[in-house]
Amino acid sequence: NAGVTQTPKFQVLKTGQSMTLQCAQDMNHNSMYWYRQDPGMGLRLIYYSASEGTTDKGEVPNGYNVSRLNKREFSLRLESAAPSQTSVYFCASSEALRTGGNQPQHFGDGTRLSIL
Amino acid sequence: GDSVTQMEGPVTLSEEAFLTINCTYTATGYPSLFWYVQYPGEGLQLLLKATKADDKGSNKGFEATYRKETTSFHLEKGSVQVSDSAVYFCALMGYNTDKLIFGTGTRLQVFP
């Protein structure tokens, strides 16, 4: 049972470099999410996609772009990485399609990203 | 806006001790409430949930009751094990939305 798969697991970038984080889910879920986790701040939503072909900004979208390639895949792109983007990034998915909000989200194992 | 407040950690306990991790929330309407657990090096896993007032969520010996009058969803376990050592996140999902709002997390350390 793969669930939500994120690649890569670790990455070190230099300031100004670009990178795409990949996420795929095999649960036929409608909604997908990208979060960042920083010490003392919990998880904060970057972008989400309620269905294939739609994306919306979350709490901290600046410096990021996303693509919902198909129902399975949702990628996060850093166009010009900055040290403030050093974090652990989590992808999640759920069955929710604006249904009233009690469907749990399923998380990947995260990508640990360091920007020097 | 909606928010979740958790007690700061770390919480350090001996094996078989009683656990309480406090969580309170601020939200309009009738949110759903969740506890997630994160083991070292892993993503978050759903531990339990409650979708309406007075509901009790339970799983793996953990329990939490949705208290609308005190806007709380405290996590409890009667006898913790070393394997329960992890970070616990309280979260809410507002009515008619599918976005989670997380607390800052509470680290639990259980020693033999």
Side-chain angles (χ1 to χ4, degrees):
Chain A
N1 293 338
V4 179
T5 303
Q6 292 184 235
T7 56
K9 295 190 183 304
F10 303 93
Q11 186 69 49
V12 179
L13 294 177
K14 295 181 180 179
T15 297
Q17 288 185 317
S18 62
M19 172 165 191
T20 300
L21 308 185
Q22 305 289 351
C23 175
Q25 53 91 8
D26 63 1
M27 296 172 283
N28 201 36
H29 284 168
N30 294 306
S31 296
M32 297 186 73
Y33 314 82
W34 276 105
Y35 294 90
R36 59 179 291 173
Q37 182 181 27
D38 301 294
M41 302 190 75
L43 276 76
R44 293 180 292 169
L45 183 65
I46 304 171
Y47 271 94
Y48 68 103
S49 171
S51 63
E52 185 179 351
T54 68
T55 61
D56 288 288
K57 295 179 179 179
E59 181 184 355
V60 288
N62 291 343
Y64 305 95
N65 287 301
V66 290
S67 295
R68 183 75 181 267
L69 304 171
N70 47 55
K71 191 171 186 180
R72 289 187 64 248
E73 299 173 286
F74 189 39
S75 62
L76 178 72
R77 183 162 178 83
L78 287 70
E79 291 290 352
S80 179
S84 61
Q85 294 177 305
T86 293
S87 188
V88 181
Y89 291 85
F90 288 99
C91 178
S93 70
S94 78
E95 295 179 3
L97 186 62
R98 304 199 186 279
T99 58
N102 61 15
Q103 299 299 321
Q105 293 180 12
H106 301 259
F107 285 78
D109 286 342
T111 295
R112 285 147 183 80
L113 183 61
S114 293
I115 315 241
L116 306 178
Chain B
D2 295 354
S3 65
V4 175
T5 301
Q6 284 182 243
M7 61 188 291
E8 289 191 20
V11 173
T12 303
L13 295 173
S14 298
E15 206 165 25
E16 300 184 1
F18 184 85
L19 168 71
T20 300
I21 299 178
N22 290 338
C23 171
T24 58
Y25 68 89
T26 302
T28 55
Y30 304 95
S32 296
L33 301 173
F34 303 82
W35 277 100
Y36 280 83
V37 58
Q38 183 180 31
Y39 298 102
E42 298 184 9
L44 279 70
Q45 303 174 23
L46 178 67
L47 182 59
L48 53 85
K49 71 174 186 179
T51 58
K52 61 183 187 295
D54 300 324
D55 268 2
K56 177 184 284 188
S58 61
N59 186 26
K60 300 180 181 180
F62 291 89
E63 294 182 340
T65 301
Y66 187 161
R67 302 285 189 199
K68 191 165 179 64
E69 64 276 13
T70 55
T71 62
S72 65
F73 193 53
H74 304 322
L75 183 67
E76 297 181 336
K77 186 176 185 182
S79 177
V80 294
Q81 305 300 312
V82 172
S83 58
D84 294 326
S85 298
V87 180
Y88 292 81
F89 290 92
C90 185
L92 73 80
M93 189 179 288
Y95 181 74
N96 207 30
T97 176
D98 56 0
K99 290 185 283 186
L100 278 170
I101 296 171
F102 286 90
T104 54
T106 302
R107 181 175 301 278
L108 171 65
Q109 298 174 323
V110 181
F111 293 96

